[in-house]
Amino acid sequence: MLRRAVTTTTGLLARHIRAQPFSTDLSSAPAADAGFVEAWKKVIPNIEPPKTPLSFMQTRPSTPPSIPAKLTVNFVLPYASELSAKEVDMVIIPATTGNMGVLPGHVATIAELKPGVMSVHEGNDVTKYFISSGFAYIHANSYADVIAVEAVPLDQIDASLVQHGLAEFTQKLSSASTDLEKAEAQIGVDVHSALNSALTG
């Protein structure tokens, strides 16, 4: 009886999962924002509708039949684009679950980033950035989008300022009296500890 219930449940789940297409099965061309345009023309027929975010998005390349030789990386910050469609051999990102190496053909993944070092490998050249936090979106078509809140090349960080900041936030943490002060001080300690580890390790 238990086996029949498990088999039935598994069959129902499989049918439900198959009903939802994977992102790689979807069309690579974005669908037109027809609903918005139609509604706009009903309300204001004599003025062209404004462009929506969908109209600014580039079409997503389809998943290739074989694994490409390079990984295409987009690395953006709120105020700048560090890498745009850069073809590299590998990227190592500091995910909250641990450092994650991303090669061409990596399984589609979304990873939350923690303070740490992201390294971009191109042949024998390795460029390292310290990032504060963010997300990485790895697509099945060997594209990776890394979105960070703050990032700086590792060679531009002053080790003495990091040590000073770590001491300052450690002192603030020990003398904090409210939950807000403790949380702010703990964030400062975590970031400066990660910076210190990045510079010394």
Side-chain angles (χ1 to χ4, degrees), residues 74-83 94 113-120 127-135 146-157 191 195:
N74 297 305
F75 177 36
V76 295
L77 308 170
Y79 49 86
S81 175
E82 289 291 322
L83 301 174
L113 305 178
K114 65 178 181 180
V117 176
M118 180 183 90
S119 57
V120 180
T127 307
K128 294 185 177 184
Y129 298 88
F130 182 84
I131 61 175
S132 62
S133 61
F135 286 90
V146 180
I147 296 95
V149 176
E150 289 287 342
V152 63
L154 201 58
D155 57 4
Q156 294 181 12
I157 298 173
V191 170
L195 272 165

Side-chain angles (χ1 to χ4, degrees), residues 52-140:
T52 62
L54 188 60
S55 64
F56 294 101
M57 295 174 67
Q58 295 179 353
T59 59
R60 184 186 72 233
S62 59
T63 303
S66 62
I67 296 174
K70 298 284 186 176
L71 175 72
T72 305
V73 177
N74 297 305
F75 177 36
V76 295
L77 308 170
Y79 49 86
S81 175
E82 289 291 322
L83 301 174
S84 179
K86 179 86 169 171
E87 291 191 343
V88 301
D89 295 317
M90 177 176 67
V91 173
I92 300 176
I93 56 174
T96 53
T97 54
N99 285 349
M100 183 167 77
V102 181
L103 294 164
H106 195 285
V107 66
T109 307
I110 298 175
E112 183 181 359
L113 305 178
K114 65 178 181 180
V117 176
M118 180 183 90
S119 57
V120 180
H121 299 254
E122 287 182 83
N124 294 330
D125 296 333
V126 179
T127 307
K128 294 185 177 184
Y129 298 88
F130 182 84
I131 61 175
S132 62
S133 61
F135 286 90
Y137 302 90
I138 293 98
H139 308 278

Side-chain angles (χ1 to χ4, degrees), residues 10-24:
T10 306
L12 289 171
L13 284 173
R15 272 189 297 207
H16 176 68
I17 290 170
R18 290 199 188 279
Q20 298 177 351
F22 291 108
S23 64
T24 54

